[in-house]
Amino acid sequence: FVTNLTAAATGERIAFTLNERGLRNIWVAEGPDFTARRLTQYETDDGQELNAVTLSPDGTWVVYTRGGDFGSNWDDALPVNPTGATTPVKVELWAVPFAGGTPVSLGEGLNPVFAPSSDAVVFERGRQLWRAPLDGSASATKLFDQRGSASDAQFSPDGTRIAFVSGRGD
């Protein structure tokens, strides 16, 4: 099953997820031929969904969420463990160069948004906004503390500011 089809803002690059007999992987293709190639190498049917596939604005990075059960009738952010693994399963963001390579964990989180410079993402973790460099050169850092929950982050066109929704429940 092909899902999560996305395209880079510039250029002729696409990415999508493919579930082959329970093996979930990220696939990419580039124009003008758009010959698909597998980007990730997940070789086990462990029930971990791949979701929120996103290409950086310049098309050089692919970021995705691995884990969770998106589209279910419970909290998407909660990990699932259908194989009974003894190692705790996490819902994490991962980054991998479009050209290929080993995926790098950016940490636990959801809803990645690329910086216009294509070198970092902002994402949601623990109801707050965090930032991580795509190359994994540093750990994710919380941008600020706020009461309530921060969601729906959007960068200004020049990347110097971030707008977001602040939900305080009151």
Coordinates of all heavy atoms in Angstrom, one line a residue, residues 48-83:
Q48 N 5.3 -0.9 13.5 CA 5.6 0.5 13.7 C 5.3 1.3 12.4 O 5.9 1.1 11.4 CB 7.0 0.8 14.1 CG 7.4 0.0 15.3 CD 6.5 0.4 16.5 OE1 6.3 1.5 16.8 NE2 5.9 -0.7 17.1
E49 N 4.3 2.2 12.5 CA 3.9 2.9 11.3 C 4.9 4.0 10.9 O 5.6 4.5 11.8 CB 2.5 3.6 11.6 CG 1.4 2.7 11.5 CD 0.1 3.5 11.3 OE1 0.0 4.6 10.7 OE2 -0.9 3.0 11.9
L50 N 4.9 4.3 9.6 CA 5.7 5.4 9.1 C 4.7 6.5 8.7 O 3.8 6.2 8.0 CB 6.6 5.0 8.0 CG 7.6 3.9 8.2 CD1 8.4 3.6 6.9 CD2 8.5 4.3 9.3
N51 N 4.9 7.7 9.2 CA 3.9 8.7 9.0 C 4.5 10.1 8.8 O 5.7 10.2 9.1 CB 2.9 8.7 10.1 CG 1.5 9.2 9.7 OD1 1.4 10.0 8.8 ND2 0.5 8.6 10.3
A52 N 3.8 11.1 8.5 CA 4.2 12.5 8.4 C 5.5 12.6 7.6 O 6.4 13.3 7.9 CB 4.4 13.1 9.8
V53 N 5.5 11.9 6.4 CA 6.7 12.0 5.5 C 6.7 13.4 4.9 O 5.7 13.8 4.4 CB 6.6 10.9 4.4 CG1 7.7 11.0 3.5 CG2 6.5 9.5 5.1
T54 N 7.9 14.0 5.0 CA 8.0 15.4 4.6 C 9.4 15.5 3.9 O 10.4 15.0 4.4 CB 7.9 16.4 5.8 OG1 6.8 16.0 6.5 CG2 7.8 17.8 5.3
L55 N 9.4 16.3 2.8 CA 10.7 16.6 2.1 C 11.0 18.0 2.5 O 10.2 18.9 2.6 CB 10.5 16.5 0.6 CG 10.6 15.1 0.0 CD1 10.0 15.0 -1.4 CD2 12.1 14.7 0.0
S56 N 12.3 18.2 2.7 CA 12.8 19.6 3.0 C 12.5 20.5 1.8 O 12.3 20.0 0.6 CB 14.3 19.6 3.3 OG 15.0 19.1 2.2
P57 N 12.4 21.8 2.0 CA 12.1 22.7 0.9 C 13.0 22.5 -0.3 O 12.6 22.6 -1.5 CB 12.2 24.1 1.5 CG 11.9 23.9 2.9 CD 12.4 22.5 3.3
D58 N 14.3 22.2 -0.1 CA 15.3 22.1 -1.2 C 15.3 20.6 -1.7 O 16.1 20.3 -2.6 CB 16.6 22.6 -0.8 CG 17.3 21.8 0.3 OD1 16.7 20.8 0.8 OD2 18.4 22.2 0.8
G59 N 14.6 19.7 -1.0 CA 14.5 18.3 -1.5 C 15.7 17.5 -1.1 O 15.8 16.3 -1.5
T60 N 16.5 17.9 -0.2 CA 17.7 17.2 0.2 C 17.5 16.2 1.4 O 18.3 15.3 1.6 CB 18.9 18.1 0.5 OG1 18.6 18.9 1.5 CG2 19.3 18.9 -0.8
W61 N 16.5 16.4 2.2 CA 16.2 15.6 3.3 C 14.8 15.1 3.3 O 13.9 15.8 2.9 CB 16.4 16.4 4.6 CG 17.8 16.8 4.9 CD1 18.5 17.9 4.6 CD2 18.7 16.0 5.7 NE1 19.7 17.9 5.0 CE2 19.9 16.7 5.7 CE3 18.6 14.7 6.3 CZ2 21.0 16.2 6.4 CZ3 19.7 14.3 6.9 CH2 20.9 15.0 7.0
V62 N 14.6 13.9 3.9 CA 13.3 13.3 4.1 C 13.2 13.1 5.6 O 14.1 12.5 6.3 CB 13.1 12.0 3.4 CG1 11.8 11.4 3.7 CG2 13.4 12.1 1.9
V63 N 12.1 13.6 6.2 CA 11.8 13.5 7.6 C 10.5 12.7 7.8 O 9.6 12.9 7.0 CB 11.8 14.8 8.4 CG1 11.2 14.7 9.8 CG2 13.1 15.5 8.4
Y64 N 10.4 11.8 8.7 CA 9.2 11.0 9.0 C 9.1 10.6 10.4 O 10.1 10.7 11.2 CB 9.2 9.8 8.0 CG 10.4 8.9 8.3 CD1 10.3 7.8 9.1 CD2 11.6 9.1 7.6 CE1 11.4 6.9 9.3 CE2 12.7 8.3 7.8 CZ 12.6 7.2 8.6 OH 13.7 6.4 8.8
T65 N 7.9 10.3 10.8 CA 7.6 9.7 12.1 C 7.6 8.2 12.0 O 6.9 7.7 11.1 CB 6.3 10.3 12.6 OG1 6.3 11.7 12.6 CG2 6.0 9.8 14.1
R66 N 8.2 7.6 13.0 CA 8.2 6.1 13.1 C 7.6 5.7 14.4 O 8.2 6.1 15.5 CB 9.5 5.5 12.8 CG 9.5 3.9 12.8 CD 10.7 3.3 12.2 NE 10.5 1.9 11.9 CZ 10.8 0.9 12.8 NH1 11.3 1.2 14.0 NH2 10.6 -0.3 12.5
G67 N 6.6 4.9 14.4 CA 5.9 4.5 15.7 C 4.5 5.0 15.7 O 4.1 5.8 14.9
G68 N 3.8 4.7 16.8 CA 2.4 5.1 16.9 C 1.5 4.3 16.0 O 1.9 3.4 15.3
D69 N 0.2 4.7 16.1 CA -0.8 4.0 15.4 C -1.8 5.1 14.8 O -2.9 5.3 15.3 CB -1.6 3.0 16.2 CG -2.4 2.1 15.4 OD1 -2.3 2.1 14.1 OD2 -3.2 1.3 16.0
F70 N -1.3 5.8 13.8 CA -2.0 6.9 13.3 C -3.3 6.4 12.5 O -3.2 5.5 11.8 CB -1.1 7.8 12.4 CG 0.0 8.4 13.2 CD1 1.2 7.6 13.4 CD2 -0.1 9.6 13.7 CE1 2.2 8.2 14.1 CE2 0.9 10.2 14.5 CZ 2.1 9.4 14.7
G71 N -4.4 7.1 12.7 CA -5.6 6.7 12.1 C -6.4 5.8 13.0 O -7.5 5.3 12.6
S72 N -5.9 5.5 14.2 CA -6.6 4.6 15.1 C -7.6 5.3 15.9 O -7.8 6.5 15.8 CB -5.6 3.9 16.0 OG -5.0 4.9 16.8
N73 N -8.2 4.6 16.9 CA -9.2 5.3 17.7 C -8.7 5.6 19.1 O -9.4 5.7 20.0 CB -10.5 4.4 17.8 CG -10.2 3.1 18.4 OD1 -9.0 2.7 18.7 ND2 -11.2 2.3 18.6
W74 N -7.4 5.7 19.2 CA -6.7 6.2 20.5 C -5.6 7.2 20.1 O -5.4 7.5 19.0 CB -6.2 5.0 21.3 CG -5.3 4.1 20.6 CD1 -4.0 4.3 20.4 CD2 -5.6 2.8 20.1 NE1 -3.4 3.3 19.7 CE2 -4.4 2.3 19.5 CE3 -6.7 2.0 20.0 CZ2 -4.3 1.1 18.9 CZ3 -6.6 0.8 19.4 CH2 -5.4 0.4 18.8
D75 N -4.9 7.6 21.1 CA -3.9 8.7 21.0 C -2.8 8.3 20.0 O -2.1 7.3 20.3 CB -3.4 9.0 22.4 CG -2.5 10.2 22.4 OD1 -2.1 10.7 21.3 OD2 -2.2 10.7 23.5
D76 N -2.7 9.0 18.9 CA -1.7 8.7 17.9 C -0.3 8.7 18.5 O 0.6 8.0 18.0 CB -1.7 9.7 16.8 CG -3.0 9.5 15.9 OD1 -3.6 8.4 16.0 OD2 -3.3 10.5 15.2
A77 N 0.0 9.5 19.5 CA 1.3 9.7 20.0 C 1.8 8.6 20.9 O 2.9 8.5 21.3 CB 1.4 11.0 20.8
L78 N 0.9 7.7 21.3 CA 1.2 6.6 22.1 C 1.9 5.5 21.3 O 1.4 5.1 20.2 CB 0.0 6.0 22.9 CG -0.6 7.0 23.9 CD1 -1.9 6.3 24.5 CD2 0.4 7.3 25.0
P79 N 3.0 4.9 21.8 CA 3.6 3.8 21.0 C 2.8 2.6 21.0 O 1.9 2.3 21.9 CB 4.9 3.6 21.7 CG 4.7 4.2 23.1 CD 3.7 5.2 23.0
V80 N 3.0 1.7 20.0 CA 2.3 0.4 19.9 C 3.4 -0.6 19.9 O 4.5 -0.4 19.5 CB 1.4 0.3 18.6 CG1 0.3 1.2 18.6 CG2 2.3 0.5 17.4
N81 N 3.1 -1.8 20.5 CA 4.0 -2.9 20.6 C 3.4 -4.2 20.3 O 3.3 -5.1 21.2 CB 4.6 -2.8 22.0 CG 5.8 -3.8 22.2 OD1 6.3 -4.4 21.2 ND2 6.3 -3.9 23.4
P82 N 3.0 -4.4 19.0 CA 2.3 -5.7 18.7 C 3.2 -6.9 18.8 O 2.7 -8.0 18.9 CB 1.8 -5.5 17.3 CG 2.7 -4.5 16.7 CD 3.1 -3.6 17.9
T83 N 4.5 -6.8 18.7 CA 5.4 -7.9 18.8 C 5.8 -8.3 20.2 O 6.5 -9.3 20.4 CB 6.6 -7.7 17.9 OG1 7.4 -6.6 18.4 CG2 6.3 -7.4 16.5

